[in-house]
Each structure stands twice: as C-alpha cells, then as structure tokens.
Amino acid sequence: FVYNAVGAGYPVPRNLNYFWNFGVLAGVALMVQIVSGIILAMHYAAEGTVAFASVEHIMRDVNAGWFIRYAHMNGASMFFIVVYIHIFRGLFYGSYKPPREMVWHLGLVIFLLMMATAFMGYVLPWGQMSFWGATVITNLFSAIPAVGDMIVTLLWGGFAVDNPTLNRFFALHYLLPFLIAGVVVLHVWALHVVGQNNPDGIEVKDVARDTVPFTPYATIKDSFAIVCFMIFYAWWIFYVPNYLGHADNYIEANPLVTPAHIVPEWYYLPFYAILRAVPDKLLGVLAMFGSIAILVFLPWLDTSRVRSGRYRPVFQVFFWLFAINA
C-alpha cells in the first residue's frame, strides 16, 4: 500500500531539512574509516619496539601512505563531527521519543562503540600522547571497587601499559568497526520499522500527501550533502592534517618521561572536563559515565507531549545552553 501510494520505494516526510542528512554522512565516514583502516593494518606492526617506526614507514615509504593515514586520522574527527550533529538533531527534534526508543538506544550503542574504537586507535601510533593517554584512561577503571584493579590488569595484559596492551588495542580497534557496522544495520532497520521523525514532530497521517519517495528526493539531498562533506573532509586532509592532533604524538613513547600536559582528543573533551571537575576519582568516573547513561533514560525522562523543540521555547533555551557548554 505504501509503495503504491508514494510511487516508488520507502516514503519519507516531505518537510525534512538538511539535518536529516547526517545519518547518511555518518555511514559514509564509517565506510571510509573501515577501508582506510584495512589498508593501514597491512603495513602497521603492533609491537612496542617498532610500532612508532611502522607509522613513519607508512607516512614516508608506502605509496600514498601519507594520504591513507591522514584520511584515517582526520576521518575519526569527521565521524565524530557528523555523529555529534546527528545526536543533537535527535535531541532537538525529539527523535528519542516513542515509538523510536529502539532507534535511539541502538544509536547510543554505536556511539559507545565509536568512543572505545577511537580511544584504542589513538594508542596505536605509540607516541608520547598515545602512551600516556592510554595509561591515564585505563587507570580510571581502578577506581571501581573490588574489580577495578583486575579490569586494569586485564586491559594492560600485565602491570603497566606495554606491548601486550598495544596488541590488545590493535586487535580490538580492527574488529570493533565491523561490530559498529552490524549495529548500524540494526539502527537503520529499526528506523524503517517506525519511520522517520520530522522537524514538526508530528506523525505522518496521509502517506500520499505528506511524504515523497526516498528516491529521487532524499537520495539527491544525500548526494549533495556527501559532496559538501567530502570537500570539507578533504580540506582537513590536504591543508591542516595535523591541526586536530597533538605534537607530542610525533615523539616516540617513553614511559620514563611524562608530557607536560596529557589531554585527550577533542571529541572526548566534554567527558574529560566532567572528570577533571570532580575531585574524587570514583565520583568523577561515575559522573563521566553517568553523562552518557542518562541519555539511555531520556525517552522516559522527557514527559512532554510535544515532540519537536521547535514548539518548546523553554526547552530551546536549555538545549542551546547545553550545546554551548558541551
């Protein structure tokens, strides 16, 4: 019935704006990361004494290795940019509200897997910031009562960040993106079951009048967004490839020399700020993970019958305060 009503294929609300393109852009970013990561893995050596040198080998000796590495390195930031915009769009337009709770929760699973994958990938160049970042972040788990030290030892594969840690992180960093891709399939499937939200937050009543076929209308908008995204992405790769990184990561890891400032990648800074703001280690860790966990309960915490933030002026004030503060 739906197929015949709209003319061809999956129907989408006709009032969707360009914020609805960021889901597709996230999928494109994921594919770029997987393909570039597979190529890099062919030349990378996950061994503490040669890992740093293997990255330099990729940059200097492998054909187009510099391009693949910069594409992968900056691709992580591009992935987080589009996913953060995708999440904030969902928050503003109420895409987490029933009947789309499953879509929202699968998206949060993807986000958590992304954070874990990006952290493990940041360790692999085995530079100073990689080594000490791994040391600091993994040590956070020691704050968990009873089992914390056991978790840290399991992550390290010993009693300090060393070669076993690098091996474990490389294996997980390689495998987790395929798990992310699997959850993305579930995310898209769940979306197709309940249908897309729209800027007005009102469920489609008349399919023939209120929707348009996904092809060609949505596909043309997606294609235009992908072109704009790739131009933006290419600018970072070719003009400022190291801007989002840290200079200390071009110094080989040295467990005897601590960097003056140990800072995470920019996409972890909101969580790092929460951690630093709480003096107690355990409470800081709980607050940091709680900032993500609260998103799980958001569909039930927000009891407003109005879905879209477009029609909630008080909500808009708090939303933008939250966005600016983050």
Side-chain angles (χ1 to χ4, degrees):
F1 170 75
V2 170
Y3 185 91
N4 292 331
V6 299
Y10 178 66
V12 295
R14 63 171 62 243
N15 63 335
L16 296 187
N17 57 40
Y18 276 102
F19 283 112
W20 262 260
N21 295 109
F22 282 88
V24 170
L25 295 182
V28 171
L30 175 61
M31 289 300 104
V32 170
Q33 289 301 92
I34 289 175
V35 172
S36 60
I38 290 172
I39 297 171
L40 290 174
M42 296 175 185
H43 304 278
Y44 176 76
E47 208 284 321
T49 59
V50 294
F52 185 84
S54 73
V55 174
E56 291 303 305
H57 163 68
I58 290 168
M59 292 292 292
R60 301 168 188 274
D61 302 325
V62 175
N63 289 335
W66 64 269
F67 171 73
I68 301 298
R69 198 237 169 168
Y70 280 153
H72 193 75
M73 187 172 74
N74 287 281
S77 292
M78 299 302 109
F79 198 4
F80 273 95
I81 287 171
V82 296
V83 166
Y84 277 137
I85 294 173
H86 190 55
I87 290 172
F88 274 89
R89 188 271 296 167
L91 288 171
F92 186 82
Y93 291 112
S95 297
Y96 53 85
K97 285 177 169 284
R100 297 179 179 84
E101 306 100 308
M102 183 58 69
V103 182
W104 177 254
H105 288 143
L106 286 168
L108 291 178
V109 172
I110 293 169
F111 181 53
L112 289 171
L113 290 171
M114 279 177 60
M115 293 181 72
T117 305
F119 166 64
M120 292 172 185
Y122 188 58
V123 175
L124 300 186
W126 213 236
Q128 275 288 74
M129 202 54 63
S130 295
F131 179 88
W132 286 100
T135 302
V136 170
I137 299 302
T138 52
N139 257 313
L140 294 178
F141 290 96
S142 65
I144 302 173
V147 298
D149 290 335
M150 184 179 68
I151 293 172
V152 173
T153 303
L154 183 66
L155 287 170
W156 286 350
F159 300 102
V161 174
D162 208 338
N163 192 58
T165 317
L166 181 62
N167 271 278
R168 288 163 191 239
F169 280 22
F170 174 66
L172 290 171
H173 181 70
Y174 190 90
L175 292 173
L176 284 179
F178 298 101
L179 182 58
I180 293 173
V183 182
V184 167
V185 172
L186 294 177
H187 185 62
V188 174
W189 168 78
L191 177 65
H192 278 241
V193 170
V194 295
Q196 287 185 306
N197 188 26
N198 62 80
D200 289 326
I202 301 170
E203 296 297 333
V204 170
K205 296 285 192 296
D206 188 337
V207 175
R209 187 182 63 184
D210 298 333
T211 65
V212 293
F214 186 83
T215 302
Y217 297 96
T219 49
I220 289 175
K221 284 183 71 176
D222 285 340
S223 299
F224 176 72
I226 290 170
V227 170
C228 293
F229 170 67
M230 296 307 288
I231 292 172
F232 176 74
Y233 186 6
W235 183 81
W236 288 94
I237 294 173
F238 293 110
Y239 289 95
V240 282
N242 293 300
Y243 185 80
L244 297 173
H246 198 287
D248 280 0
N249 230 26
Y250 281 95
I251 303 171
E252 190 168 2
N254 185 346
L256 301 179
V257 178
T258 308
H261 302 286
I262 301 174
V263 293
E265 291 285 77
W266 70 266
Y267 36 79
Y268 295 131
L269 288 177
F271 309 102
Y272 183 66
I274 294 171
L275 187 67
R276 291 289 299 271
V278 182
D280 183 80
K281 185 176 180 180
L282 177 58
L283 292 179
V285 171
L286 290 175
M288 183 180 68
F289 285 111
S291 67
I292 302 173
I294 196 170
L295 296 176
V296 175
F297 302 99
L298 197 57
W300 301 286
L301 292 173
D302 185 352
T303 57
S304 173
R305 297 178 65 184
V306 179
R307 178 177 283 120
S308 176
R310 179 180 284 183
Y311 307 110
R312 302 169 66 184
V314 177
F315 171 86
Q316 287 184 30
V317 173
F318 284 100
F319 173 84
W320 288 113
L321 284 174
F322 171 65
I324 293 168
N325 184 60

